[in-house]
Each structure stands twice: as C-alpha cells, then as structure tokens.
Amino acid sequence: MLCEKCRQHPASVSYHQIIDGEEKWLCLCDGCAESFDLSHPFTEEFSDFSDPKQNLFRSRLSGRVADEPTKKRCPFCESHFDEITKTGRLGCEHCYEVFFGELRPTLDHLHGAGTVHKGKVPRRHTESDPSDRLMQLKERLQQAIESQAFEEAARLRDLIRLLEQASKGGEEA
Amino acid sequence: MSIFLKWYEENGSEDAVVLSSTVSLARNLSGYPFSHLTNQTEREEIIQKITAAAARLDRLGLSMRTVDLQTTEDLQRMVLAEHRLASREFLRRSGGRVLLVSGDESVCLAIGGEDHLLISVTAAGLECEKTMRLAQQIDDLLEEQLTFAFQDRLGYLTASPDHLGTGMQASVMLHLFGMDRLSLTAKLANTVSKMGMQLYGVRAFGATHDYQITNRMTLGLTEEQAAMNLETIVRQIIDREMAAQSECLQGAERFEDRLYRTLGELQFARRLSLEELQAALSLLRVGICQKRISLPPRLLNTLAITAGEASILFGKGEFLSAGGREEARAELVRARLSEIELLK
C-alpha cells in the first residue's frame, strides 16, 4: 500500500487517532511519518474540553503495519494483533507478553528504547522472576483441570506454551 | 452535599495563575480482559470488587458517594462534567460505569472506563506533589484488597501502551492571559513537548485563556520525578506569564477602570451569560495577579465550576429557558460576591 500523504513510497506506519469518538486512519511512509506533526495541540479538535488520553495520547503511531499479517491470538482474551493496532488498545494484561515482539517498536517509539519501569511496585507483587509467573500459571492450570473448567484450562495451557516460547526466544536473543 | 467545603472553595499555592492540579492513576484488575473486551458479568464483578475495596478509603477520612451512570440522567452527567469529576468520554457511555466521588469532590474513582479504574485527585493551585501522594495512599489501600495487572519491566499494565509504567498522569490547569495576548502559547507548547509534556487549550473553565499541561512520560521515571518535573516547569511558566501580563498592561491606563467596571457588572447584573461570566473571571484573575484588585482566586474557581449551564439548571431543580438560566446565574454570582469583603 502507498503512503496516503505523498502517494509515492510504500506505507510502513499506521497512524491512528480518535477525536471525540471519531476514528481517523492514516498509513504513512517513514519520511512522511517523521515530518507529520503529531504534537501540535492547537487545532480546533484539540481545544475542546478534552480528556488528554482520548485526544492526544492515542494520537501516536499505534503500530507498524506488519509485512505479513500474523495469525497469532492471545489465548486469554483472543485478541489479534491487527485488532490491537486498530483500536490502539491491548486486549488484556497477557497481550503484553504474547505480542511483546510485535509491540516492541511502538513501545520503543513511545517510551524510548529499552526503558524499564522505575516507579511504584505493588506490595503484593511477587513476580520478580518470570519462572515464578509460569509456576503460578501452572498451578492455576492444575486447579482448572481439577475443577473441570476445561475451557479455562485450555486457555491457560496455550498461554503457558506461548510464554515459554517467548522466554526461550528472549534467551536466544 | 454541601456540608464539605469543595476543593475549589479552598485556597491553593500560586492560585492566581494556577487553577488546579490533578493526578490520576490508571489501574486494571489482574485476571480480567481490559474494559473494551469485558462482558456484562465481568464488568459487574469489576465494579463490585473495586467498590468493596474503596470502603477502605474511610481510613483516609474519605467517604465516597456512588454515582452509577446507568441510572444517571443526562443533566446530572453534564453537571459531573462541569465539575470535572470525569471526562466527557467517560460520561458519554452508561453501561458498566460507576463513579465514586468524595464529599469535597477532590477524589474520584472512575470504574469501567478505558482502564478498569482511574484514581483521580484534584486540588486548587499548584499541588502536584500533594495530589500525587494522596493518589498513592489511595492506591496502597486499594491494593491491600485488589491485585492490579503489573509486570516488572513495563510496570502497571494499561489498555493503551501510552500509559505503561506508573500509569500516572499529572496535569495542571493554567490561566495564560498574558502569553495568549502576546501569541506565545504555541511556542510554549512546542518547548514543553520536548520535555515530555503536552500543553493544550481547554474550555473546561470556559475562558479561552485556560490551558492544561500534562506529563506524557510514564515509563522510566518514578511518580515523584514526574510530579516534580511538572511542578518545576509550571513554576517557570508562571514567571513567564507574570512577565507577559506586565508587558501587556504597560501603558494600559484604563485597565483598572475596566477591572472595576467588570466587578461592578458581576455585582449588579440581573442577567449573565456564561460567556460574559467567563470573560469577566479571566479579567479579574489578571487583576489579582497584578495586585490591582483584592479577591480570593478560590471565588473565581467556584464561580467557574458552579455556574455552568447544567449546574445552574440542576441547582434550580426546574427547567429554565436561556434567559432564566442567565437570571439564575446572575443571582448566584451576586450571592457569592456578597459573601466576601471587597477590600479595594
């Protein structure tokens, strides 16, 4: 697909904006995306009583247009990555792990490459090691099987599999 | 409803230029999909869990009133928006959305919006740190009972990746009359955007000279740092605004005359449109900044928030025509002004 601004170069970035509930889509090439002024706040649309999240925070490059559309789904909420780029919202907490590779360029763009959380940590948060988390999930899987909640169990099984793959991939890289 | 002094009826630091400071924390319950994918049962469970946990806030002396948007009429929603208790976006939809509001309207828990929970704390004047601390205390208390979605690397997990990390948004409302007059605000917006902040014009308080500045960075810095950064920048903006005002008013011999005529109008008018009131409040605010008139800024905040179209109607409890609302507004303004002593 060609860039919707210059109509010369192939589009590589999708720009998604929601203003007052109305969605706008733009697919741009790298050059146009660079020069596209995403931060100018003084348009009519922005001067309204605004929820900054509604108007501005989502007005970002919401995701690279994938070269090959991925068929992967989050086993917990069943979101597709395409749906995430379309709405600018992830489906659930697990999407961050499941689609971490796909999200990475956007996260780097939004927050700076390699930036990690430095703020508050919940007191009851114990997951310092990803393997702890896997253990917890495996326990939940066991409970689900025991209580014959098979749908839940299948989801958890897929999630564990994906997380294990992701952590292996991380080690290799 | 009025036994508490509302936040906007209190004094705040730097309140001649700064209207208010708000800190909000976005949180999601672990084990549920994010709001836009929840079904009705899940939405009800989320509301029930958060509401139950919020009972703990009485330890901070906060008693929360529940507003279920499902059973709230349009007019009341508009009042909530005018009082800035939730965004219009949040108030637009009704199903599965609940607001818990403290008596002084300074603390608000919005349940069922983009994120399961948005904890907001507002105070008059420049109070980023104070509001941030209270928001954290509320978060701590809720966390005793609730498990929020969190990951070591990405912090609090939010529906939109924009708020990952602290999930915290700190914002300050400013009255930038002088900088607006000298056409400096666009440049200012540009400058602050390079520091990870966003400045934009708002009409929440009515007058066109009102701006909001918000932190954009949520990942890679602590809540304290974000709040301090914002306060530091706002202090610099206040200095620039004061200088800009002085420049605007240089040689403006009739300014004081205009100021007192405006005050006289508010004291005696029998009809006031919202636009007239907003323009008058903006001018009086400059008068306060320039020490040409002695009025408490909290009075201006109170009028700006309580004299909106919906609030006037709601206060009267009956339908009023546009003319009727203008009369009711003038009456309210006269009553508020008569409560204070005009010193100069």
Side-chain angles (χ1 to χ4, degrees):
Chain A
M1 151 172 218
L2 282 180
C3 167
E4 290 180 68
K5 203 165 166 228
C6 66
R7 303 201 176 279
Q8 286 173 9
H9 307 291
S12 57
V13 169
S14 70
Y15 170 60
H16 182 221
Q17 194 175 47
I18 299 176
I19 293 163
D20 272 347
E22 205 184 304
E23 295 195 31
K24 283 184 186 171
W25 273 92
L26 264 184
C27 288
L28 304 173
C29 68
D30 273 342
C32 290
E34 287 280 11
S35 60
F36 197 71
D37 188 2
L38 303 180
S39 59
H40 199 280
F42 289 97
T43 62
E44 249 316 289
E45 296 142 329
F46 289 141
S47 61
D48 199 357
F49 177 107
S50 50
D51 173 10
K53 289 203 306 198
Q54 179 66 11
N55 284 346
L56 291 161
F57 280 79
R58 255 190 252 150
S59 315
R60 292 288 161 72
L61 307 166
S62 58
R64 296 261 151 185
V65 177
D67 296 336
E68 286 170 42
T70 158
K71 290 278 166 276
K72 192 157 69 175
R73 277 185 185 277
C74 168
F76 184 78
C77 68
E78 299 181 345
S79 284
H80 227 275
F81 190 63
D82 289 356
E83 288 156 10
I84 292 172
T85 50
K86 229 175 260 175
T87 57
R89 285 180 293 202
L90 281 85
C92 70
E93 56 193 302
H94 304 292
C95 288
Y96 279 106
E97 287 172 83
V98 175
F99 299 114
F100 188 71
E102 289 87 341
L103 282 168
R104 193 142 195 183
T106 312
L107 295 181
D108 286 351
H109 177 86
L110 282 170
H111 299 289
T115 310
V116 292
H117 179 58
K118 292 215 177 86
K120 186 179 176 183
V121 176
R123 271 184 214 148
R124 53 166 66 208
H125 176 70
T126 50
E127 165 236 324
S128 49
D129 181 357
S131 59
D132 286 354
R133 235 173 100 66
L134 276 174
M135 285 300 289
Q136 284 176 12
L137 285 172
K138 283 176 183 168
E139 274 169 32
R140 268 171 61 191
L141 172 64
Q142 199 54 42
Q143 286 165 3
I145 293 168
E146 278 163 19
S147 60
Q148 302 197 334
F150 295 118
E151 208 173 312
E152 170 80 355
R155 277 180 179 192
L156 287 166
R157 184 202 58 207
D158 292 349
L159 186 61
I160 289 166
R161 200 174 288 163
L162 270 166
L163 294 182
E164 277 174 341
Q165 276 170 8
S167 72
K168 267 183 208 150
E171 278 161 27
E172 280 160 22
Chain B
M1 201 165 150
S2 56
I3 47 164
F4 294 96
L5 217 51
K6 310 290 186 197
W7 67 263
Y8 46 80
E9 292 170 322
E10 309 258 13
N11 295 319
S13 79
E14 308 286 355
D15 57 0
V17 177
V18 177
L19 308 167
S20 62
S21 306
T22 303
V23 162
S24 47
L25 301 174
R27 298 288 185 257
N28 288 284
L29 295 190
S30 183
Y32 290 93
F34 292 142
S35 294
H36 63 292
L37 294 184
T38 48
N39 60 35
Q40 198 180 340
T41 321
E42 288 166 333
R43 280 196 288 274
E44 281 166 9
E45 276 176 34
I46 290 167
I47 290 173
Q48 190 269 325
K49 281 188 177 172
I50 297 175
T51 312
R56 288 165 182 259
L57 300 190
D58 62 5
R59 288 194 222 157
L60 295 171
L62 293 167
S63 72
M64 308 297 281
R65 169 170 68 99
T66 307
V67 183
D68 186 345
L69 293 194
Q70 190 93 58
T71 53
T72 305
E73 286 171 24
D74 287 349
L75 178 63
Q76 217 179 331
R77 275 181 220 214
M78 283 158 71
V79 175
L80 293 168
E82 285 179 359
H83 284 230
R84 302 200 292 121
L85 290 167
S87 67
R88 290 189 193 263
E89 198 282 320
F90 181 86
L91 295 166
R92 199 167 289 143
R93 261 188 266 150
S94 55
R97 291 193 172 183
V98 166
L99 273 180
L100 304 178
V101 184
S102 69
D104 65 355
E105 296 184 14
S106 68
V107 175
C108 189
L109 308 188
I111 311 171
E114 174 170 299
D115 292 297
H116 294 158
L117 171 65
L118 191 73
I119 305 166
S120 305
V121 180
T122 303
L126 183 58
E127 299 286 1
C128 297
E129 215 194 321
K130 192 177 102 182
T131 45
M132 185 269 298
R133 298 246 174 262
L134 180 55
Q136 299 283 18
Q137 283 178 304
I138 292 168
D139 187 44
D140 286 343
L141 278 176
L142 295 177
E143 240 160 26
E144 287 177 7
Q145 203 167 323
L146 304 169
T147 308
F148 293 133
F150 181 89
Q151 213 193 67
D152 286 321
R153 184 161 37 174
L154 298 176
Y156 287 94
L157 303 175
T158 50
S160 158
D162 300 336
H163 312 118
L164 282 174
T166 57
M168 182 178 107
Q169 220 178 290
S171 48
V172 172
M173 295 267 279
L174 296 154
H175 181 248
L176 301 180
F177 175 92
M179 298 191 76
D180 234 359
R181 277 287 176 88
L182 300 179
S183 310
L184 295 173
T185 44
K187 204 175 145 207
L188 179 68
N190 204 347
T191 313
V192 301
S193 76
K194 289 179 188 133
M195 300 179 211
M197 293 179 200
Q198 194 97 44
L199 179 84
Y200 45 92
V202 282
R203 287 207 288 263
F205 272 88
T208 48
H209 307 299
D210 292 337
Y211 288 83
Q212 180 164 317
I213 180 167
T214 304
N215 79 307
R216 235 170 29 191
M217 284 157 74
T218 51
L219 194 66
L221 79 180
T222 64
E223 290 81 356
E224 286 80 4
Q225 284 168 334
M228 290 307 290
N229 287 352
L230 185 63
E231 262 198 43
T232 310
I233 288 187
V234 169
R235 285 191 193 283
Q236 290 172 20
I237 296 176
I238 294 170
D239 290 344
R240 287 211 216 166
E241 167 59 21
M242 296 301 277
Q245 281 184 12
S246 308
E247 199 182 324
C248 286
L249 297 181
Q250 234 168 31
E253 291 156 14
R254 300 192 55 190
F255 174 69
E256 207 157 299
D257 178 55
R258 243 181 87 204
L259 195 61
Y260 280 90
R261 278 171 187 265
T262 305
L263 181 63
E265 238 173 67
L266 293 189
Q267 275 178 295
F268 296 105
R270 260 43 193 171
R271 273 189 178 205
L272 269 177
S273 73
L274 187 57
E275 288 70 28
E276 281 174 317
L277 174 65
Q278 285 162 346
L281 293 179
S282 176
L283 196 69
L284 289 177
R285 215 171 253 288
V286 178
I288 296 170
C289 281
Q290 295 300 313
K291 303 203 167 30
R292 305 280 188 97
I293 196 166
S294 176
L295 281 173
R298 64 186 145 86
L299 173 76
L300 309 187
N301 274 348
T302 305
L303 289 177
I305 288 188
T306 56
E309 301 288 7
S311 304
I312 290 280
L313 271 179
F314 193 72
K316 280 279 170 188
E318 57 181 308
F319 180 76
L320 296 171
S321 64
R325 291 201 296 276
E326 290 185 358
E327 278 174 21
R329 182 173 299 111
E331 194 184 316
L332 173 91
V333 172
R334 287 203 305 275
R336 285 289 187 169
L337 279 173
S338 68
E339 287 167 14
I340 58 149
E341 224 178 303
L342 299 167
L343 296 176
K344 199 175 161 191

